[in-house]
Amino acid sequence: MTDDAPGARPAVRWIVVAVVTVAIVAVAFAIGRFTAFGATAAPTYPSTTSADAGFARDMQVHHTQAVLMAMEIYRKTDDDELRTLSYDIATAQSGQRGEMYGWLVQWGLPQSSPQPLMTWMQSSGAHSHGDTSAYTQDELLAQMGMATDAELDQLQTLEGQPADCLFLSLMIRHHQGAIPMAEAVIELGDQPRVAEVAQAIITGQSAEIDAMRDIQSRLACTA
């Protein structure tokens, strides 16, 4: 009896060690599988009717016109401050427009929507435009602060101080239309990068409005 006991105990110990080792390996394997699953799980993207998608689409439309107006006045103004400001507007908004295009591509969504402009803002407490289907396209564009075709034609025709003043008036209104859209997507959206760009729009365009009003005063532009 006593001779057999020492040999039995090591055998038991090895069995225990083996069981513990198998358990550790199993836990490690499970953790690895869980981590791998988390790393490769498909990200959640906004839906086509989301605030983030609506903002990306509508702000591309908005930015396109701003770039057009900014490059028009950059080309022909004799005012150095206005030329610098218009260049900054054109380059900043071109970059943002390209990023917004890229968001929709990444999210697998079309660049346009059958819904009227600003429909995505309807659930906003402060920035809703109500039932957007009740408005014409031109009325919605006006609510966004967009220039009309006639105003764009006039901007192309004018030269000198009249052109500078018209540009400033149109671009201030344009910026004033963009800021509520940016505020609405911060309120309603859930994409951090979209909110970051929207805040940059609010900050940047608010400062540009102040700068344009100063230029209006210096150029003695009439209201």
Side-chain angles (χ1 to χ4, degrees), residues 119-195:
T119 299
W120 60 274
M121 298 171 66
Q122 285 182 351
S123 58
S124 170
H127 306 297
S128 174
H129 291 265
D131 181 6
T132 53
S133 64
Y135 297 96
T136 66
Q137 178 81 351
D138 287 344
E139 288 172 335
L140 291 172
L141 290 171
Q143 290 184 37
M144 293 169 65
M146 301 276 281
T148 64
D149 289 343
E151 288 170 331
L152 295 175
D153 289 343
Q154 186 180 17
L155 181 62
Q156 290 180 330
T157 302
L158 293 174
E159 300 286 342
Q161 189 256 15
D164 293 347
C165 289
L166 178 60
F167 168 80
L168 290 166
S169 175
L170 294 179
M171 191 60 78
I172 288 172
R173 190 179 77 199
H174 202 269
H175 278 15
Q176 289 171 333
I179 291 171
M181 295 167 65
E183 291 172 341
V185 80
I186 292 174
E187 174 193 354
L188 302 173
D190 59 14
Q191 295 294 303
R193 179 55 186 166
V194 175

Side-chain angles (χ1 to χ4, degrees), residues 10-24:
V12 171
R13 285 198 299 271
W14 280 112
I15 291 172
V16 172
V17 170
V19 170
V20 171
T21 301
V22 170
I24 292 171

Side-chain angles (χ1 to χ4, degrees), residues 43-55:
T44 301
Y45 291 141
S47 71
T48 195
T49 58
S50 67
D52 294 297
F55 174 79

